[in-house]
Structures are given as structure tokens and as C-alpha cells.
Amino acid sequence: MVTGATSGIGKATALELARMGATVVMVSRDRARGEAVQSEIKTKSGNDNVELLLADLSSQASIRQLAENFQQRYTQLHVLNNNAGVYMFSRQETVDGLEMTFAVNQLAPFLLTNLLLKVLKAGAPARIVNVSSGMHESAKIDMDDLQSKKRYTFMSAYGQSKLALVMFTYELARRLEGTGVTTNCLHPGFVATNIGQSGVGPAGRAVVKFIFSNFGISPEEGAKTSIYLATSPDVEGVTGKYFVKSIPKRSAAITYDESLQRQLWDECAKLVNLPVKV
Ligand SMILES: NC(=O)c1ccc[n+]([C@@H]2O[C@H](COP(=O)([O-])OP(=O)(O)OC[C@H]3O[C@@H](n4cnc5c(N)ncnc54)[C@H](OP(=O)(O)O)[C@@H]3O)[C@@H](O)[C@H]2O)c1
């Protein structure tokens, strides 16, 4: 399963996994965009086993429905690629009343992964691959303001969400020890995609597009670490690591604070209405 498979890194990842012969479940929030990419991937890969499931990952009800729909069709999941992400220039709230960046970039992977643990364990050896960002390195996490109510800048909200995703990966890896399910996270590089283009006016969009398309690597290049972590025999059994260019790297010092990881887990569980002990 690849979330955010309609564009950029997720689309390139889904295509490559399909080329490798996997049954790929693409997740998209938009039927028309999803169906167009689904048919493109089928044609380019020659693989007909590309399914589309619809979900708006900013809505917890929609995420729960997605997990339900998946489990009605499949009893096992071998790779969950939590790839979808947003970069919001202004503070927006989701239908659940939560800050959008934190909801899509951290709470959606947290909830979706927890809801799919049963099928991941049934599919073991299975892998969870979380797309974080190098921007987590200079970010701070404010446990009293995960919703960025006191202070919002797109950089601080985005950085905090990606820092949280790294910490979630490490905590999850410990909780999954002995299950045959591994989890790692990654920075894909600076990639020419559509990121950052929603929620800005036409001028802002043009600037963002110019910067990313002139200085970014291609989505295919940006997808390489995701594909490596999803498929390579080199990382069989490797878990709880952060990768850049398919090489394990140290993440920000704060991400290794286990008591903070647990605190974050408990806060996220409350925000998505999961029992704290999942
Ligand atoms: N590009 C970079 O330089 C860079 C650097 C570091 C990390 N990343 C991370 O890489 C991941 C992929 O981003 P990208 O660069 O490929 O950007 P992108 O082209 O904008 O793709 C993002 C994907 O996420 C989907 N998405 C966003 N909000 C969603 C929602 N509420 N529900 C369902 N799907 C949603 C988008 O769907 P739509 O097509 O419907 O919009 C799209 O398919 C993100 O997690 C991003 O933070 C990117």
C-alpha cells in the first residue's frame, strides 16, 4: 500500500513496485486523479494488479474506512508506505479540528499503521516505510502545542510533523520487536514534486514550482530510498532506522529520547481515539 500515490515520490514508488510485480494498492483522496494514475501505472508496468482505494488522510473517519476497505479485500499486507504529506503555508484545520500538517504527516501514518497492524503481522515478514524529511533535523517538538496554536510557521509545523514521524518510527519498531514487521523512515532528498503548491496563491505557487523544478531531483530519484526500504534484501530484519540515499544515518538527537517517544505515542493515541496501549 502506497499513500499519496497520485503524485511525486508516491507515484514513482507505486510504479516501480508494480514493475517489480507487486500487487499495489494506491491510496488517493481523489477518484479522477487516482484512476488516471492507476491506469498510467498499469500501462507503464504491464501489471494489472494495481488497485485504487480512496481516502482523505486528513479525516480520521476516512482513514478508518480505508483500513476497513483494505481488510475486506486482503488478509495480508507486506509493505505499508506512509508517503502522503503536505506542506501548508497557512494554518488550516481538518474536519476533526486538528492542525492539517500534523494530522496528515503524523497522525494519519500513526492511525493507519495501527489499524493495519493485524494484516501486517499476518503478512510478516512485512515492512512499514515512513517518508519523513531532512527538515526534521532543525525542527523542535512542542508537546504542549502539537497543534501549532501558539505559533505557526509552515517550516515549524512541517518540521515538527516530520520529527514526530521519525520518533513514531523508533517507538513503533520497539513495539513490533519479535513480530517480523520492521519499520524504517527516510529523507527522500529535495525532490521536484507538487509539494507545497496547495494553500498558496498563483504567484506563490509559481515560485514554489520554480524552486522545486529547478533545484530538485526527479521523483524517480526521490523514490529510490522508499523502494530500497520496501524491497531490498539488504534491509531484511533492519528496523528502527532513518535512511538518506539508502544509507542509515543518525537523525536529530532528540528523536532518540525514548521517554519523549512514549509521550508522543500517548498524545497521538489520544488525538486519534485509539487506546494508548495498542
Ligand atoms: N519533495 C520533497 O522535496 C520532499 C522532501 C522531503 C520529504 N518529502 C515528503 O515526501 C512525501 C511525498 O511528497 P511529494 O514530494 O511527492 O509531494 P506531492 O507531489 O505533493 O505528493 C503528495 C501526495 O500526498 C497526497 N496527499 C496530500 N494530502 C492528502 C490527503 N489529505 N489525503 C490523501 N492524500 C493526500 C497527495 O494527493 P493529491 O494528488 O490529491 O494532492 C499526493 O499524492 C511527503 O511526505 C513529503 O513530506 C518530500
Side-chain angles (χ1 to χ4, degrees), residues 127 129 184-186 224-232 235 243:
R127 302 178 184 192
V129 179
N184 293 292
C185 56
L186 68 115
K224 281 189 175 164
T225 306
S226 293
I227 295 158
Y228 174 78
L229 290 175
T231 63
S232 173
V235 280
F243 286 76

Side-chain angles (χ1 to χ4, degrees), residues 235-253:
V235 280
E236 181 92 57
V238 173
T239 194
K241 302 259 181 281
Y242 171 69
F243 286 76
V244 181
K245 293 191 178 162
S246 302
I247 294 169
K249 285 266 148 76
R250 262 193 85 74
S251 53

Side-chain angles (χ1 to χ4, degrees), residues 5-7 11 26-40 52-55:
T6 42
S7 155
K11 181 178 168 186
M26 304 170 42
V27 178
S28 166
R29 59 179 153 177
D30 183 271
R31 181 178 293 282
R33 264 202 305 281
E35 284 178 351
V37 174
Q38 178 189 28
S39 120
E40 184 186 333
L52 175 67
L53 291 182
L54 298 177

Side-chain angles (χ1 to χ4, degrees), residues 4-10 29 33 55-58 83-86 104 131-133 158 162 187-191 193-195 212:
T6 42
S7 155
I9 298 162
R29 59 179 153 177
R33 264 202 305 281
D56 179 347
L57 298 169
S58 70
N83 163 80
V86 289
V104 174
V131 183
S132 179
S133 165
Y158 183 80
K162 294 300 187 180
H187 168 56
F190 186 67
V191 193
T193 65
N194 290 335
I195 196 118
F212 275 84

Side-chain angles (χ1 to χ4, degrees), residues 60-92:
Q60 292 178 16
S62 187
I63 296 169
R64 287 176 189 278
Q65 191 59 58
L66 167 65
E68 197 59 44
N69 290 345
F70 181 86
Q71 287 171 105
Q72 276 167 10
R73 288 170 174 73
Y74 303 97
T75 53
Q76 297 188 345
L77 177 58
H78 303 111
V79 172
L80 170 60
N81 180 204
N82 286 309
N83 163 80
V86 289
Y87 202 80
M88 306 295 296
F89 283 88
S90 58
R91 189 180 183 285
Q92 289 179 32

